[in-house]
Amino acid sequence: SAGKGRPVAALILLWALSASLLSEADLSPAWSDSWPGKVADMVARPFRTGRQLLFDGYQRTFPRQPQSQPVTVVAIDEKSLATIGQWPWPRNRLAALLDAIGQAGPAVVGLDMFMPEADQTSPARVAANLPREQAALANALARLPSHETQLAAALRRTPSVLGAAGFDFPSHSTTSGLRVTPLAVHGDDPLPWLRNFPYVLASLPELQAAARGQALLTVSRLDGGVVRRVPLVLAVGQQPVSGLAMEMLRVASGSSAVEVEVGHYGIEAVRVAELRVPVQENGDIWLHFACSQTSAARYLSAADVLSGNFDPERLNGKLVLLGLTGSGLSDMRSTPLGELVPGVEIQAQLMESLFDGRFILRPWWLKWLETALLLVVGSVMIWAIPRTDGRVAAALQRTPRAASWWVIGLNVLIVSVGYLLFYTRGLMFDSASTFIGLSSVLGSLVSSALIEIDQQTRRIEADRQRLRENEARVAGELAAARRIQLGSLPDAEKLFAAEKRFSLAALLEPARDVGGDLYDFFMLDKRRLCFIIVDVSGKGVPAALFMAVTRTFLRTIWNVERDPAATLTRLNNELAHDNEP
């Protein structure tokens, strides 16, 4: 209750601002593993978790509605594995699949796979394992082209893009570079902003040279195992590299390069041909997912393509992805819609959303706008709510439960603004962090106000208790005074118990507990009775005291004077002598 709760509320607001900023900070792995980093992660976790749940809620409420179907996925699925055999297939079979796809006239074919090692089923390698008595067969096999050569020829005949994977550590199959079409950079150096991989797992150099392009398949860092963002550009060493989606669009459009716009606050956009995609400062894009039911029609079994049992129009002019979806082969990913999809589906949805022009974005300035909003609204609350002369305090005193309705109303308003911005502008407004921060501040202030109201109530009740005790004490004293006053008056039944000549009764009922009315009677002599009635001006204790003094004077003076006229005259003089007018 110190400072009407303002100091505590200010500390809570400071905590909310710091935790909200930390929750989106891109911290280095080394710092994250240290104890300060773990403490920072623990502080920021409620904000990070709340933001992820909110952003997923945006997508579940308003999933993307596909406007077109530019992508077809040729899937190495269960049917293909049952028909052709287990994966990996011989590369000549993969070459035949590429040729079958190429005959349908696709705009581009992207291979969501990489082949870093030689095919052990190539003729020369099979020949090397034959026994000596099969020398003639071995020589004949050795003269045949390798499966890599056949696949490279198919890659040249088809507008193709090979996939590769970025690695943070070396292995026996990784390299430190990748053969790619250089990106055209406009503005500052993009490398400080891009996610950088020192190593890459790519296909054999012969295959790299044959393809029209190469790109990284890596998705952004997973939050809780859910894919929410996909990079359009990354880096391998000191070399900017395009993601699979943008490289396929480059090859399909015949563009010379993917263009990157870099500003003062990071990557601003990635362009290819006439398509300009606004991105996050590190080159990522928030992927707006469509429900998996809407994407089932784009899948085509590789077995059907090899057998020719398909409609060529499903591939003609399409962005074709060749990927693995069979059990145990595909890299399954979770989406914000709560669905589990193959990794190739992520690339398909990305290209579909780019083709439809449906972008969702969280620009760098939005976080600072949210922080400023939290600071301003929180500060106003800290200043206004504790004021005892304000409407808030009056409402709390009248209806303490009103605070709960305020919290609910404020949160509903903030969350509604977030959903509205997502639906109308595609902006990922973090109303969850604002909700947590303002709710904490408001809860603190309301708690402090309720504590102060409780303390005031306790003080008022204590004052009332003291007043009741004083009133009881005064009432007891007045009751005692009443008993004394009435006890001082004569009792006719006792005083004239044996009297037969007359009967006398008297009753005094003061307007208050004690008063100034007076009666008295006594025998002047054996023949005469004196009966006196007096009404003292005023009420209460002063009048009662004046009455007692009058009665005492009267009896005393009578005993001296023994004359009614003289007694009253002297009594009047005595009472007037010391009585103020």
Side-chain angles (χ1 to χ4, degrees):
S1 61
K4 296 185 178 180
R6 285 190 174 103
V8 174
L11 289 176
I12 291 177
L13 179 60
L14 180 61
W15 161 79
L17 292 169
S18 303
S20 178
L21 291 173
L22 277 174
S23 66
E24 286 195 85
D26 190 10
L27 305 176
S28 65
W31 197 86
S32 298
D33 293 336
S34 64
W35 71 264
K38 292 179 180 178
V39 172
D41 178 73
M42 181 177 64
V43 171
R45 190 174 303 160
F47 290 83
R48 185 183 304 111
T49 302
R51 181 172 59 252
Q52 291 170 359
L53 292 175
L54 176 71
F55 288 175
D56 292 351
Y58 289 164
Q59 298 221 35
R60 294 187 184 191
T61 306
F62 304 110
R64 182 173 56 83
Q65 302 299 323
Q67 304 300 315
S68 60
Q69 192 173 340
V71 181
T72 297
V73 178
V74 176
I76 301 173
D77 54 5
E78 292 294 323
K79 180 180 179 180
S80 302
L81 297 177
T83 303
I84 300 170
Q86 68 180 12
W87 183 264
W89 293 344
R91 302 262 166 85
N92 62 335
R93 185 62 57 83
L94 194 57
L97 179 59
L98 273 176
D99 285 335
I101 295 172
Q103 290 174 4
V108 63
V109 180
L111 280 73
D112 187 19
M113 59 185 70
F114 31 86
M115 295 161 280
E117 298 176 345
D119 187 352
Q120 297 301 314
T121 64
S122 286
R125 292 184 176 271
V126 173
N129 290 325
L130 292 177
R132 292 182 179 180
E133 56 269 21
Q134 298 293 334
L137 178 59
N139 291 332
L141 288 172
R143 288 193 294 271
L144 295 175
S146 69
H147 290 174
E148 280 76 26
T149 300
Q150 297 179 56
L151 179 57
L155 289 171
R156 291 189 186 93
R157 291 190 292 268
T158 307
S160 55
V161 176
L162 285 176
F167 270 63
D168 292 318
F169 54 88
S171 70
H172 72 282
S173 300
T174 58
T175 60
S176 58
L178 186 67
R179 181 172 181 168
V180 297
T181 301
L183 276 62
V185 177
H186 303 281
D188 298 334
D189 183 10
L191 288 176
W193 302 97
L194 297 176
R195 184 180 180 187
N196 197 309
F197 293 99
Y199 305 97
V200 64
L201 183 63
S203 298
L204 294 169
E206 180 182 359
L207 303 179
Q208 293 187 45
R212 302 276 182 91
Q214 282 198 103
L216 291 184
L217 301 171
T218 306
V219 297
S220 293
R221 189 175 302 167
L222 302 181
D223 295 321
V226 179
V227 176
R228 295 181 175 90
R229 305 198 308 185
V230 179
L232 297 187
V233 287
L234 305 99
V236 176
Q238 298 299 311
Q239 180 183 34
V241 178
S242 173
L244 180 63
M246 297 305 292
E247 185 65 10
M248 288 180 64
L249 291 173
R250 181 193 71 80
V251 173
S253 63
S255 302
S256 59
V258 173
E259 302 177 63
V260 181
E261 299 177 8
V262 187
H264 183 69
Y265 297 101
I267 313 296
E268 295 178 349
V270 179
R271 295 191 322 219
V272 61
E274 297 179 356
L275 175 66
R276 182 181 185 273
V277 185
V279 296
Q280 301 300 125
E281 63 274 8
N282 62 349
D284 285 2
I285 183 174
W286 288 86
L287 183 52
H288 194 181
F289 284 88
C291 296
S292 59
Q293 291 86 348
T294 63
S295 62
R298 68 162 145 262
Y299 282 85
L300 185 61
S301 175
D304 292 337
V305 175
L306 283 170
S307 65
N309 185 24
F310 73 100
D311 181 6
E313 289 300 318
R314 297 187 63 182
L315 298 178
N316 183 258
K318 299 286 188 177
L319 306 172
V320 179
L321 281 166
L322 180 57
L324 308 173
T325 63
S327 299
L329 300 181
S330 59
D331 181 19
M332 303 301 291
R333 301 284 189 175
S334 296
T335 73
L337 303 184
E339 300 175 335
L340 195 64
V341 299
V344 68
E345 174 68 15
I346 303 295
Q347 300 294 338
Q349 292 226 22
L350 173 58
M351 286 190 288
E352 188 176 76
S353 62
L354 295 179
F355 196 87
D356 289 345
R358 176 53 179 171
F359 311 128
I360 57 177
L361 191 65
R362 181 164 172 75
W364 64 268
W365 51 264
L366 190 55
K367 185 62 184 177
W368 294 107
L369 177 63
E370 296 161 357
T371 303
L373 177 65
L374 178 58
L375 177 61
V376 171
V377 177
S379 300
V380 170
M381 290 167 56
I382 293 173
W383 172 78
I385 292 179
R387 296 181 60 189
T388 56
D389 58 342
R391 296 181 179 179
V392 176
L396 280 177
Q397 290 175 353
R398 290 194 306 269
T399 312
R401 291 184 179 180
S404 301
W405 293 107
W406 293 348
V407 174
I408 294 173
L410 178 64
N411 293 335
V412 169
L413 176 62
I414 293 173
V415 174
S416 299
V417 168
Y419 275 91
L420 181 63
L421 288 175
F422 178 83
Y423 179 74
T424 58
R425 305 299 298 272
L427 291 176
M428 306 287 276
F429 178 72
D430 181 15
S431 55
S433 296
T434 310
F435 160 79
I436 295 173
L438 293 183
S439 296
S440 301
V441 172
L442 182 58
S444 169
L445 291 172
V446 170
S447 298
S448 299
L450 293 177
I451 290 173
E452 184 174 3
I453 290 173
D454 182 67
Q455 291 178 341
Q456 290 178 352
T457 303
R458 290 174 181 271
R459 286 195 295 268
I460 292 173
E461 185 61 30
D463 291 341
R464 288 177 177 173
Q465 182 63 28
R466 285 193 296 270
L467 182 59
R468 285 193 292 268
E469 292 174 356
N470 291 336
E471 290 177 348
R473 185 171 57 253
V474 171
E477 293 174 352
L478 290 176
R482 176 186 176 88
R483 290 193 300 271
I484 294 172
Q485 178 187 17
L486 297 180
S488 65
L489 298 175
D491 187 353
E493 293 182 359
K494 293 180 180 180
L495 188 60
F496 303 119
E499 184 61 56
K500 303 296 183 181
R501 294 171 292 175
F502 61 88
S503 62
L504 179 63
L507 174 67
L508 176 63
E509 187 66 35
R512 297 184 180 178
D513 293 310
V514 292
D517 298 331
L518 166 65
Y519 69 82
D520 196 7
F521 45 82
F522 52 90
M523 296 300 295
L524 296 179
D525 51 33
K526 291 181 179 182
R527 295 178 53 253
R528 293 181 296 173
L529 170 67
C530 177
F531 191 93
I532 302 169
I533 297 176
V534 180
D535 184 9
V536 179
S537 62
K539 303 292 184 183
V541 175
L545 293 175
F546 195 83
M547 179 272 287
V549 171
T550 301
R551 184 170 180 270
T552 302
F553 276 170
L554 175 62
R555 291 222 173 191
T556 302
I557 295 173
W558 172 257
N559 291 331
V560 174
E561 296 293 342
R562 290 291 178 174
D563 178 67
T567 298
L568 288 177
T569 300
R570 186 173 177 180
L571 174 62
N572 182 64
N573 293 334
E574 291 294 336
L575 290 175
H577 183 269
D578 294 323
N579 189 30
E580 294 181 2

